[in-house]
Every structure is written in structure tokens, then in C-alpha cells.
Amino acid sequence: MIRLRHVAAGLGTGALALGIALVGATGPASAGQPTETPPGMPDDGSVQEWEAWAAQDRADAEATDWAADSAARGCELIDVTITDEVDPDYNASLGAPADLATARVELEEDCSAASMAVTEDDATKSGARSLDDGAAYSVPAGSRCSSTSGPGTMCLSKSSGRIYASWKYRGSGSVTGFMRVYRISSSSSGCPTGSTWLTGSERTWSSGTTRTISKTAGSYGAYSAHFWKKTWYGHSDWGGTCAKL
């Protein structure tokens, strides 16, 4: 039976605590990133216009058939959580007021091997190194999945104006951590971190579990998604994948 939860959160609790734990681990956010205009929102909108857009975006998330959404990506939905949060990093990427409350969607899924197959680009097929190995290629366009240094697979995709980041744990036992999505330069080499765009809740993955975080995005751009594993001293970057979406 699919469970749907709607909760409220602020950066003063969970998300801010994660940011503190990562000081010195992710490096400073990149400056000079262009802002994005989400669907249906004009540039330089008033506070009232942003609040109206955020309310509609939240209503759309609540009305979405997430089971069908998961099925379209080759997965079976297990659990849905929609979280109201104030995320200044995300708001800054949109040019929205810093205190705007927006909706983050988190899914627990059972995904097939085919739906999370590691993507090969032309350079990989010709014998050159893939992004997983740190090769100096520009960020590839379109949905992409890559093996992570920890035993798992990270995927990035975009559909109906939403960015999706998914990580499937392929190790034994369980692991605790969180996913974070960054905006990066489209000419980046390897798959670096950059300006924080979206941070998921800290969760526990059992072997074979897939978790997905999703939020509405605007214009075309390059992103990376990384999994941060909880350790006794903070969090360790287990790697991720990059894509222009």
C-alpha cells in the first residue's frame, strides 16, 4: 500500500543541520550562476505572484499520480512525502524571495535494473573514459545514470518541468545519507559539485532500495546529483552523475 505524507520543514532544522555538517566537504557555492524562471512565473514577479505560483506548484504536486509517475520511469512506487520548506538556495536559483515556501517531493521506489542502467556516451563506446572515471568531457545532455563510488547507481532526469535525482543502493545491509543536487557549468569536467540547488532528507537505504527527490525547475541547464553517506565525523561524498536537463 502506497503511503502519502505531507509535512512542513524549515532550514532552521533538518536542511540547515545538513549544511553545517558539510562545511569543508562540498566547498563554497559557485558564483555567477544564472537564475531560472519556473513555468508560469514571469521574470521579476512580485511577492504575491511568487506565493501564488508556489501554492499552485504545491497543489500540482499533491494532485500528481506519483504511482504513474514512477511507473513511467520503470519503477514501482512505495512511499511519497511532500515537504513544505524554505530553501534559500533553491529560491535564489529562481530569483524568488528568500523566504518563499516551496514543495519538495521525495519518493521511495522499487526500480528495475533496466530503468537505472548506466548510461554510455559515444566517448565511452570508443574506449575513452566515462564521466564515472573523471574524464574531461563536457556535461552530456539528457537523462543519465552513473555508477557511484559507493555501491549504487545515481540517475538524473527532467520531466514536465521537474528535475528528478534517484539513487539505488546496491550494497549489503543498509546505509544512511542524503542526496544533493547542484547547478554546475555545462563545460565541467568529471562530475563536480557546484551551487546547491536541492537537498533531500537524510534517510536510510536498505539493499536494493531506490529513493528519489524532485522539485520544479525552470530553464535548461547543467546539474549534478551526489549521494552523501553519513559517517561518524559528518558525511562522505559517494559520487554521482551529471546531465544537462
Side-chain angles (χ1 to χ4, degrees):
M1 180 178 179
I2 298 169
R3 302 183 301 274
L4 171 62
R5 293 189 293 269
H6 194 158
V7 299
L11 284 187
T13 54
L16 182 56
L18 289 177
I20 293 172
L22 288 171
V23 170
T26 60
S30 300
Q33 293 280 4
T35 58
E36 303 171 342
T37 302
M41 173 54 62
D43 289 325
D44 301 320
S46 67
V47 172
Q48 291 76 16
E49 288 175 315
W50 278 109
E51 290 176 344
W53 171 81
Q56 184 60 56
D57 185 61
R58 185 179 303 106
D60 290 344
E62 293 172 344
T64 295
D65 183 345
W66 291 107
D69 182 89
S70 291
R73 290 179 286 107
C75 301
E76 179 182 352
L77 181 65
I78 298 172
D79 186 38
V80 185
T81 303
I82 300 175
T83 302
D84 288 327
E85 64 178 358
V86 176
D87 186 339
D89 291 319
Y90 175 75
N91 293 344
S93 78
L94 302 176
D99 60 353
L100 182 71
T102 57
R104 180 182 78 240
V105 176
E106 296 182 278
L107 313 173
E108 180 180 348
E109 301 171 298
D110 183 359
C111 298
S112 68
S115 68
M116 301 192 75
V118 173
T119 308
E120 291 186 340
D121 56 22
D122 292 337
T124 302
K125 294 175 182 176
S126 65
R129 293 185 302 167
S130 70
L131 283 177
D132 298 339
D133 299 320
Y137 304 117
S138 62
V139 179
S143 301
R144 185 169 177 85
C145 295
S146 300
S147 298
T148 54
S149 57
T153 302
M154 181 72 77
C155 294
L156 261 176
S157 62
K158 187 177 184 180
S159 177
S160 300
R162 301 188 68 90
I163 297 288
Y164 295 79
S166 302
W167 189 67
K168 182 172 184 176
Y169 178 50
R170 300 185 182 278
S172 59
S174 62
V175 64
T176 299
F178 66 94
M179 288 179 284
R180 179 167 282 175
V181 180
Y182 304 87
R183 291 182 303 143
I184 60 174
S185 168
S186 60
S187 61
S188 297
S189 61
C191 191
T193 58
S195 299
T196 297
W197 186 78
L198 171 62
T199 300
S201 301
E202 186 160 282
R203 305 276 188 182
T204 296
W205 278 252
S206 57
S207 182
T209 295
T210 299
R211 295 189 183 278
T212 297
I213 55 176
S214 176
K215 209 158 190 178
T216 298
S219 60
Y220 181 78
Y223 296 82
S224 70
H226 286 242
F227 176 75
W228 289 88
K229 177 185 179 295
K230 183 176 177 61
T231 65
W232 68 270
Y233 56 86
H235 293 84
S236 175
D237 185 0
W238 266 15
T241 194
C242 296
K244 286 186 285 189
L245 302 167

